[in-house]
Amino acid sequence: MHWLGGSLLMGALMAGAMTACGSDDPAKPPPVSGDDAGDGGGAKKPWWNLGFQDDLYNEVTLFYLGHAWGQQSDVGEVLETARRVDESDPKSWTREWRKTADRLMSVGQESESRKHPLSASQAYHRAATYYRAAMHHSVEPLSAQGAAEYRDLTRKEVDAFAKFLTLSRSPCEVVKIPYESTTLPGYFCKSPGAASRAPVLLYMQGRDAWAEDGYTMAEEAMKRGFHVLMFDGPGQGQVIRLQGLPFRPDWEKVVTPVVDYVIARPEVDPDYVGLYSLSMGGYLGPRAATKEHRIRALVPNPGVIDWYRNMAAALDPQLLALVDSDEAAFNAKMDELMKASSFLRWGIEDFMWRHGVDTPAKLIKDLRRYIMTPAEVANITANTLVVDAEEESRGQAKELFDALTSKKEYLKFTAAETAQFHDQPGAEAIQTQRILEWLEGSLAKAP
């Protein structure tokens, strides 16, 4: 349901293009069912509708409400900030979330000055979350001003999160992972209850979320005796904003240095490495595992075998055909649509920025590289849990599951669990429980 990782964002921004091109089947919000359908007295709003006309805003807000379970946000702060957002103003989202983040930084600074480090750490933690939220819409990364704002917000987020780790005495530490000619940012979380050499879970998000969004999962994994390494790769989090490194399809070139780094740590048992990857990571994680066979347990949420299909399915076929027959005409048509919709313009430019291209046609051609063949999937040796959801809009979990030849299981989250949407926003408790129970059986060392 939520757009982190590009799923609902893809559907929302491309729905505008489909409608403008004459399609009679634009992307639709999840259907209302059961009690939410109401009766003769008038339909009720679905429980996840938080008052926005655009379901995208509802879904992103739900994602941050879900963070409250792990104290990464607070319910009132999220709802009050969302209430201030003006849907008619493309810059309103960033402005209002930044205001809330700045206010929480002041709260943290005041608590810290009064020698209340735990209170300060909690305020800094929520501030970091809201700085990340501010970057999910309307900042324009392709402009010099937008890029500067991204860097400023990112540095504030990194600083707030680091203050949280220090003042809370978190078992997680900031690390730098050697990667080609540079490093990747990450957080190594050492389980206080783990044996000297324990299993490690690599946590990786997708297109829009950050490593820091995995802190709740890391805490729950540490309670179960796992060490955790949360990290950002190219195109993600700090890496795209401060280092300018775009996505790459050969994700094994990212994960292999991460595995090299983590198994060299004395706390880690090199034979017990797991990888949990979300949203676009539902493609990137399995892609890495086709070549990186030191991964013992793999959890893609949702399973994806062909990331490009998401874009192709969302675009009008006649418009898409222009990419090969008349690239200039395709770009001109997309430019026309982007001028008519500030939201569409932001979405396309955001995709181009993350993929390191400068035209919509080049974006389409780059996305075509994010496909695994069944033969490549068959190279995965990890024990794999393929995650699905009842109203998953962009995943291909069953297709990936069927193509796997390694030991595998299939998990579908349901509406009864309030976890039926993409990546289970607002349902972190049940999501975390189910994923970690499987990992305890598949990654934990035998007693």
Side-chain angles (χ1 to χ4, degrees), residues 8-65:
L8 188 64
L9 173 61
M10 184 85 78
L13 65 91
M14 288 306 156
M18 292 175 70
T19 302
C21 292
S23 170
D24 60 359
D25 186 27
K28 297 180 177 65
V32 177
S33 58
D35 292 339
D36 289 333
D39 52 27
K44 299 177 182 178
K45 290 181 179 180
W47 61 266
W48 46 264
N49 187 310
L50 300 171
F52 288 109
Q53 293 297 313
D54 190 325
D55 282 323
L56 178 61
Y57 287 100
N58 289 315
E59 293 148 5
V60 179
T61 303
L62 179 60
F63 174 75
Y64 290 108
L65 282 173

Side-chain angles (χ1 to χ4, degrees), residues 360-382:
K362 289 179 182 177
L363 172 63
I364 296 295
K365 291 179 177 180
D366 188 69
L367 286 168
R368 288 174 177 170
R369 303 190 297 157
Y370 291 75
I371 300 172
M372 288 182 289
T373 66
E376 288 173 322
V377 175
N379 288 330
I380 295 173
T381 60

Side-chain angles (χ1 to χ4, degrees), residues 64 67 72-73 124-134 157 213:
Y64 290 108
H67 274 22
Q72 291 186 270
S73 70
Y124 290 139
H125 196 186
R126 302 198 307 280
T129 297
Y130 304 144
Y131 281 128
R132 296 196 301 276
E157 191 280 339
D213 287 302

Side-chain angles (χ1 to χ4, degrees), residues 246-249 280 283 307-308 323 351-352 354-357 359-371:
F247 277 116
R248 57 187 299 173
M280 184 180 175
Y283 167 82
W307 185 247
Y308 167 68
V323 172
F351 262 75
M352 292 193 301
R354 292 177 186 276
H355 283 263
V357 298
T359 70
K362 289 179 182 177
L363 172 63
I364 296 295
K365 291 179 177 180
D366 188 69
L367 286 168
R368 288 174 177 170
R369 303 190 297 157
Y370 291 75
I371 300 172

Side-chain angles (χ1 to χ4, degrees), residues 6-315:
S7 176
L8 188 64
L9 173 61
M10 184 85 78
L13 65 91
M14 288 306 156
M18 292 175 70
T19 302
C21 292
S23 170
D24 60 359
D25 186 27
K28 297 180 177 65
V32 177
S33 58
D35 292 339
D36 289 333
D39 52 27
K44 299 177 182 178
K45 290 181 179 180
W47 61 266
W48 46 264
N49 187 310
L50 300 171
F52 288 109
Q53 293 297 313
D54 190 325
D55 282 323
L56 178 61
Y57 287 100
N58 289 315
E59 293 148 5
V60 179
T61 303
L62 179 60
F63 174 75
Y64 290 108
L65 282 173
H67 274 22
W69 185 67
Q71 297 187 347
Q72 291 186 270
S73 70
D74 202 5
V75 172
E77 291 167 354
V78 172
L79 292 176
E80 195 276 335
T81 304
R83 183 192 62 80
R84 299 196 313 260
V85 173
D86 179 359
E87 291 183 76
S88 68
D89 179 357
K91 296 185 181 297
S92 176
W93 178 275
T94 296
R95 183 172 61 247
E96 298 307 327
W97 284 100
R98 182 171 189 155
K99 285 180 183 177
T100 299
D102 287 344
R103 180 177 66 78
L104 266 294
M105 285 299 292
S106 296
V107 171
Q109 290 162 0
E110 181 180 358
S111 292
E112 190 174 4
S113 69
R114 295 169 56 196
K115 310 301 181 186
H116 298 293
L118 181 58
S119 295
S121 75
Q122 293 167 338
Y124 290 139
H125 196 186
R126 302 198 307 280
T129 297
Y130 304 144
Y131 281 128
R132 296 196 301 276
M135 286 179 268
H136 279 153
H137 181 45
S138 81
V139 176
E140 300 170 344
L142 295 182
S143 71
Q145 182 179 356
E149 186 174 6
Y150 260 141
R151 288 192 295 271
D152 179 54
L153 287 166
T154 299
R155 292 185 180 110
K156 288 178 180 294
E157 191 280 339
V158 171
D159 178 62
F161 198 79
K163 288 178 181 295
F164 153 67
L165 293 180
T166 299
L167 294 175
S168 67
R169 298 184 179 179
S170 169
C172 301
E173 62 175 299
V174 177
V175 298
K176 293 189 180 297
I177 303 162
Y179 169 73
E180 296 188 343
S181 60
T182 183
T183 60
L184 299 177
Y187 303 92
F188 183 79
C189 304
K190 183 178 179 180
S191 172
S196 58
R197 290 172 69 82
V200 64
L201 177 63
L202 309 181
Y203 178 96
M204 184 186 75
Q205 275 285 353
R207 209 194 75 97
D208 295 284
W210 300 43
E212 292 90 326
D213 287 302
Y215 191 81
T216 298
M217 174 62 80
E219 282 197 318
E220 294 301 312
M222 286 189 288
K223 293 174 185 176
R224 292 160 170 83
F226 297 117
H227 303 311
V228 180
L229 177 64
M230 307 177 292
F231 70 96
D232 286 330
Q236 300 174 324
Q238 298 178 45
V239 178
I240 185 64
R241 291 170 176 85
L242 297 182
Q243 297 171 258
L245 300 180
F247 277 116
R248 57 187 299 173
D250 52 347
W251 205 251
E252 66 277 5
K253 298 293 181 64
V254 177
V255 169
T256 288
V258 174
V259 175
D260 289 342
Y261 168 81
V262 80
I263 66 174
R265 294 190 65 112
E267 308 96 331
V268 171
D269 188 323
D271 294 327
Y272 291 86
V273 178
L275 174 61
Y276 179 38
S277 56
L278 293 95
S279 201
M280 184 180 175
Y283 167 82
L284 298 173
R287 166 61 201 247
T290 65
K291 302 289 181 66
E292 180 47 78
H293 295 153
R294 291 174 294 180
I295 297 172
R296 185 186 185 99
L298 173 67
V299 184
N301 181 8
V304 178
I305 198 169
D306 182 348
W307 185 247
Y308 167 68
R309 192 186 307 164
N310 291 338
M311 176 70 85
L315 272 174

